[in-house]
Amino acid sequence: MRGGGRAAGGPQEAAALVLEDGRVFRGTAFGAVGETLGEAVFCTAMTGYQETLTDPSYHRQIVVATAPQIGNTGWNDEDDESGKIWVAGYAVRDASRVASNWRSTGTLQDQLDRQQIVGIAGIDTRALVRHLRTRGSMKAGIFSGSALADADELLARVNGQPSMLGADLAEEVSTDSLYTIEPNGDPRFTVVAVDLGIKTNTPRMFAQRGMRVHVVPSTVSLDQILELKPNGVFLSNGPGDPATQDGAVAITQGVLEKGLPLFGICFGNQILGRAFGRKTYKMKFGHRGINIPVVEHETGRISITAQNHGFALEGEQGEQFDTPFGKAEVSHVCANDGTVEGVRLVDGRAFSVQYHPEAAAGPHDAAYLFDRFAGLMEGA
C-alpha cells in the first residue's frame, strides 16, 4: 500500500520507519519521498536486490535488507523478475553512493525514484531484524518529507492498514490476459502456467527444456485451461494469504481429477497442499533469502534454496495422508525449523516445493525439478 512520493530532495532528508508495536527507526530518505504502508519483513540474501524488488511475491511488503550495503551494482535491463518493482518499501543500512558493474544502466536510487518507491537508509538494520525475529513480521510504514508527523499520528496510520493475514493479492499481480513463451528449439510439451505472481525466469526455465508455456490469469477456469490442451499445469509463486485462494484450489482439484501432471512453486505449493485438504498458517517471520537448506525426505538430499514466503502448510517430514486423488506425502522440509517445503502425490503425477528452483539471483541446486516435471509429462 503505497502513498504519494517524489524524488528525494537531498541525501539528508529525514525519514522514519514505524512498526505497529510503536518501535521507530529514524534515518534518511532513500528513493522517493512520501509515505508507504506494508508488512515489514527481512531478506537475508547478500546479492540480488533487483530480483527481490521486482518479485511480485513481495507485493505490499516493506523489505528490510540484512546485507549492510545495497546498491553497489546499480540497476540493469536484464534481471527484473517482472515489469515493475512490487515491494511497498525498502529499508537499508548503507545505500551505496556509487554503482559499479559492467551491466549497470543506472542506479538503484534512480530506479526507486522513477517507480515512486518510498524507502529509508541509515537505520540499524541489525536491530530491526532482531526485533522482527523476536516479535514477528508486522504492519509498518515509512514516512519522509511532508508525510512525517508526530509518532502517535504515524502509528495510527500504520495500524489502520489491513493485515497480511486474510489478504487476497494474487489477482492484483496476475497478468490480465494470456500470453505465450515459445520454447528454445522444437516444442516437446505444452504447459499452462497459472499466474499467481509468476517470475520472469520461470517460463524461461521451461522454454530451455522445450516447453511452450501459456501463462494465464489467476482467474482462469478449468475449461479454459483444458482448451489449451496442456501436457502439464504449473502453479506459480505469488503474494498474500493462501487461505483466500478457493478459486485456485478448485482449479487445482479439477486438474488433479483429469490426471494431468502438475508442478507448483511457493504459493503454488500452498495451493496444491490445500487441494489435498491440508491447512495453512501464517509464520512468525517467514523465510526470505537465498541461503536456506531444504531436505528431500525420499533421498536425504539437501538443497540450498531461495525462498520468499510468510505462510506455510501444516505437516511433518515424511508424513503420508489420504486425499481424493490418492495417497500424498510431505516430501521436503526446511532443515532450519522443520517447516513443510514440499508435498506430492505418492504416484508422482503432482508435486510442489515451497522454495524457488527458478531463482535467478540464487542457487541452482533445485533446477532439476524442472527436469522432473518434463519427465512426468513424457511419461504421461
Side-chain angles (χ1 to χ4, degrees):
M1 185 177 298
R2 190 178 306 150
R6 60 178 176 81
Q12 300 303 314
E13 186 145 12
L17 185 149
V18 180
L19 300 177
E20 69 175 73
D21 63 359
R23 187 78 183 267
V24 178
F25 293 82
R26 298 195 180 274
T28 56
F30 178 46
V33 172
E35 172 183 322
T36 190
L37 301 172
E39 180 187 46
V41 300
F42 61 88
C43 177
T44 60
M46 294 293 288
T47 63
Y49 56 80
Q50 181 169 340
E51 290 88 343
T52 294
L53 295 174
T54 56
D55 180 352
S57 295
Y58 279 112
H59 179 42
R60 256 187 57 185
Q61 292 181 321
I62 294 173
V63 176
V64 182
T66 62
Q69 190 173 66
I70 296 293
N72 311 59
T73 55
W75 196 272
N76 64 62
D77 296 330
E78 302 171 25
D79 291 345
D80 287 359
E81 287 290 2
S82 67
K84 59 180 280 189
I85 294 176
W86 280 103
V87 302
Y90 202 29
V92 306
R93 180 181 180 87
D94 183 6
S96 179
R97 292 174 293 176
V98 177
S100 178
N101 185 276
W102 65 275
R103 297 168 67 234
S104 174
T105 56
T107 68
L108 173 57
Q109 168 74 53
D110 289 344
Q111 197 63 218
L112 294 174
D113 283 341
R114 188 178 72 79
Q115 299 197 39
Q116 293 295 287
I117 307 300
V118 176
I120 187 171
I123 63 172
D124 187 345
T125 50
R126 291 175 299 177
L128 176 52
V129 169
R130 286 173 67 91
H131 190 74
L132 294 175
R133 277 184 59 89
T134 302
R135 303 291 183 87
S137 299
M138 62 182 75
K139 296 175 182 178
I142 300 176
F143 308 92
S144 54
S146 61
L148 282 169
D150 63 71
D152 289 343
E153 166 62 23
L154 298 182
L155 183 59
R157 294 184 208 169
V158 166
N159 284 313
Q161 68 178 295
S163 170
M164 190 60 72
L165 186 67
D168 183 357
L169 303 179
E171 193 173 344
E172 295 180 16
V173 301
S174 180
T175 181
D176 293 327
S177 58
L178 179 149
Y179 63 91
T180 301
I181 304 297
E182 294 295 338
N184 301 348
D186 295 332
R188 297 170 58 205
F189 309 109
T190 296
V191 172
V192 170
V194 181
D195 180 6
L196 304 164
I198 200 167
K199 297 200 291 186
T200 302
N201 204 44
T202 304
R204 188 182 300 136
M205 296 284 278
F206 285 132
Q208 290 170 357
R209 291 160 174 79
M211 304 180 201
R212 174 180 286 120
V213 186
H214 298 302
V215 182
V216 297
S218 63
T219 54
V220 70
S221 68
L222 179 62
D223 287 343
Q224 289 170 325
I225 289 176
L226 297 178
E227 285 173 6
L228 295 169
K229 295 181 171 53
N231 302 108
V233 175
F234 171 74
L235 303 173
S236 82
N237 59 291
D241 187 343
T244 65
Q245 297 301 308
D246 292 345
V249 170
I251 289 171
T252 302
Q253 291 170 333
V255 170
L256 293 172
E257 287 171 357
K258 295 293 183 182
L260 288 168
L262 187 141
F263 175 29
I265 286 175
C266 196
F267 206 54
N269 176 64
Q270 297 158 7
I271 299 303
L272 180 59
R274 282 199 58 206
F276 287 162
R278 309 299 282 186
K279 294 182 179 180
T280 59
Y281 64 95
K282 193 176 191 303
M283 302 170 73
K284 183 175 182 180
F285 50 79
H287 295 164
R288 297 174 182 87
I290 59 175
N291 47 8
I292 300 171
V294 168
V295 183
E296 184 176 38
H297 178 69
E298 184 177 31
T299 64
R301 175 177 183 165
I302 296 177
S303 297
I304 303 303
T305 69
Q307 299 196 17
N308 172 17
H309 63 106
F311 293 84
L313 286 170
E314 294 182 343
E316 302 290 337
Q317 180 175 359
E319 177 187 356
Q320 292 198 345
F321 51 95
D322 293 324
T323 80
F325 318 103
K327 190 171 289 294
E329 69 176 357
V330 174
S331 57
H332 298 72
V333 296
C334 179
N336 289 339
D337 59 12
T339 300
V340 173
E341 295 280 357
V343 291
R344 72 179 188 113
L345 287 177
V346 172
D347 66 16
R349 61 189 168 89
F351 70 99
S352 59
V353 292
Q354 187 61 58
Y355 50 94
H356 290 266
E358 84 293 352
H364 300 285
D365 298 33
Y368 72 93
L369 293 169
F370 288 91
D371 299 315
R372 179 177 292 179
F373 187 42
L376 268 184
M377 292 186 288
E378 194 164 37

